[in-house]
Amino acid sequence: MVPYLSESRSKQKILGRQLFVLDDMMQLLERLETTDQLFNEPCPPNPGNEAHSRWKVLKSEYKEGVQEVEALISTLRDMMDKLHHKRDRLTNLVTALENKKDLSRQMGESLQTAYNALRVCEGQLAQLRAETDATLDRSADWQHLRDALQGYVEETQGVMQCRLLSVGSSELCVELRPRSCGSTSGQLEPLRLTVTWSPDDHFHLQVYQGTAGLLEVSMKGCLSHLSAALLEVMQCYTSQGEMLAEIQALHSRFAIDWRPGQRLLVFLKTASSVCNLRVEEGYPSRGTATLISVRRDGELVDNAVLQPPQKTLSLTEWLEFLSSSLNV
């Protein structure tokens, strides 16, 4: 390989010299105007020196240009490295900016959600305040009604004895006991009733029959008429005081069922014997008690065989007679 390269270099030098000579000849021919000048002009002392000098100058300029280009390439590489570094930094900054934008958007959405929740809470708070104010107003009304009811109860205590069983926000349970007006009415059992009221100053009075024997009564009206309603109930109860006191006393001695709506007293003597007695209005002063029917083993018993010793008997006497009768 080395001999080949050496021979090639020698050939290139010879070829270069020939080219220099050819170049000088061409320049000489260009300067000649006639063929006679070719024979008269002296031969150049060293053909090819000028071209060789020019070639060296060009070679030197080429080397300088190569060095300058290499320096520029090195500078360009440094600039490219800096540019790549700046691009990487810019990419990182853009990524960080995108992350901050996403975070800012999320924070904005969270802030909007919190703001909406705050608005909802404010609305609920306003509604609760309104409901609280309404409840306080109703409580004040109920307190007023309760005080008014307490006053009505105190007013009725001049006529009857009253005992509060329970007091609620809109309900009052009372037990009424008539004052002693005689030997019989003083034995009447207490009458239990319930009074409920509404914020529009209306009441609902409910009387329970229980063992008192009074027909269940339901009354409604303005709260200002409650005292009159209580007096009316008590008057109805005391007007039947003698009869109801007798029936209440009979409950402890006999198996009876008083039906005030029908004014019928059912006496269960045995499991198979049932007696029905009708009590007239005004009993015992203006009415009587009458035996209607007697059933034994589901069959009617002839009332003719059940003739009491007296023509007119009270309820107590009827029950005593039927209890001792062998025909029942």
Side-chain angles (χ1 to χ4, degrees):
M1 179 63 70
V2 174
Y4 172 75
L5 294 176
S6 299
E7 185 178 357
S8 297
R9 182 174 179 80
S10 299
K11 291 180 180 181
Q12 289 177 358
K13 287 183 177 181
I14 295 172
L15 182 60
R17 290 175 181 174
Q18 291 177 353
L19 290 174
F20 293 152
V21 173
L22 179 61
D23 184 61
D24 290 339
M25 291 177 65
M26 294 298 295
Q27 291 180 4
L28 178 61
L29 291 175
E30 289 177 356
R31 291 196 303 268
L32 295 178
E33 296 179 358
T34 62
T35 56
D36 295 334
Q37 291 180 353
L38 178 61
F39 296 103
N40 296 327
E41 286 288 337
C43 182
N46 190 8
N49 285 339
E50 184 178 356
H52 185 66
S53 299
R54 289 178 58 194
W55 179 80
K56 286 185 177 181
V57 172
L58 291 174
K59 184 177 180 180
S60 177
E61 291 177 355
Y62 170 75
K63 287 183 178 181
E64 292 177 357
V66 169
Q67 292 176 357
E68 185 178 357
V69 170
E70 289 179 351
L72 291 174
I73 290 175
S74 178
T75 304
L76 182 61
R77 286 179 178 175
D78 294 338
M79 293 179 65
M80 289 293 293
D81 292 339
K82 293 180 180 179
L83 184 61
H84 285 303
H85 180 67
K86 291 182 179 181
R87 186 189 63 181
D88 294 338
R89 288 186 60 190
L90 182 60
T91 302
N92 295 333
L93 290 175
V94 170
T95 303
L97 181 60
E98 292 293 335
N99 294 334
K100 289 184 178 180
K101 287 175 62 178
D102 294 338
L103 181 60
S104 177
R105 184 177 65 256
Q106 294 176 1
M107 292 180 64
E109 293 175 355
S110 300
L111 182 61
Q112 184 64 34
T113 303
Y115 179 73
N116 295 335
L118 179 61
R119 294 293 299 273
V120 173
C121 290
E122 289 178 352
Q124 293 177 350
L125 181 60
Q127 182 179 359
L128 289 175
R129 285 178 178 173
E131 293 177 356
T132 302
D133 294 338
T135 303
L136 291 176
D137 294 338
R138 288 196 298 269
S139 298
D141 294 338
W142 290 340
Q143 185 66 33
H144 175 70
L145 292 174
R146 182 176 177 179
D147 295 340
L149 285 174
Q150 186 67 32
Y152 295 145
V153 171
E154 292 176 357
E155 290 178 4
T156 57
Q157 285 181 348
V159 181
M160 65 190 76
Q161 293 179 350
C162 175
R163 185 167 68 93
L164 290 176
L165 299 179
S166 63
V167 179
S169 60
S170 60
E171 185 180 71
L172 184 70
C173 187
V174 183
E175 187 179 73
L176 301 180
R177 184 186 299 274
R179 291 185 180 275
S180 299
C181 299
S183 59
T184 55
S185 61
Q187 300 173 1
L188 284 174
E189 294 182 0
L191 182 64
R192 182 172 174 268
L193 54 88
T194 300
V195 180
T196 57
W197 60 89
S198 58
D200 57 352
D201 293 342
H202 282 75
F203 73 90
H204 177 230
L205 187 148
Q206 179 68 44
V207 179
Y208 297 97
Q209 178 181 350
T211 59
L214 187 66
L215 182 65
E216 290 191 0
V217 179
S218 178
M219 303 176 66
K220 297 180 180 180
C222 295
L223 196 60
S224 58
H225 300 157
L226 178 59
S227 179
L230 292 173
L231 291 176
E232 181 180 349
V233 171
M234 183 52 65
Q235 184 178 3
C236 179
Y237 189 40
T238 55
S239 64
Q240 307 176 59
E242 294 186 26
M243 178 191 69
L244 295 177
E246 183 180 4
I247 293 175
Q248 292 169 8
L250 291 175
H251 271 289
S252 61
R253 298 179 55 191
F254 304 98
I256 61 173
D257 180 22
W258 169 240
R259 301 174 183 177
Q262 305 172 7
R263 300 192 65 82
L264 183 67
L265 183 70
V266 180
F267 170 45
L268 183 63
K269 180 179 180 180
T270 63
S272 59
S273 298
V274 180
C275 306
N276 296 323
L277 293 94
R278 175 79 64 184
V279 181
E280 297 179 353
E281 291 285 347
Y283 174 87
S285 59
R286 299 186 307 275
T288 60
T290 307
L291 180 64
I292 298 177
S293 64
V294 177
R295 288 183 177 272
R296 184 169 54 192
D297 296 328
E299 299 292 336
L300 286 174
V301 178
D302 188 6
N303 290 348
V305 300
L306 300 173
Q307 294 298 328
Q310 300 177 6
K311 184 177 181 180
T312 303
L313 300 180
S314 65
L315 286 174
T316 303
E317 292 171 343
W318 266 115
L319 294 183
E320 291 175 349
F321 169 73
L322 293 173
S323 297
S324 60
S325 176
L326 299 177
N327 296 324
V328 179

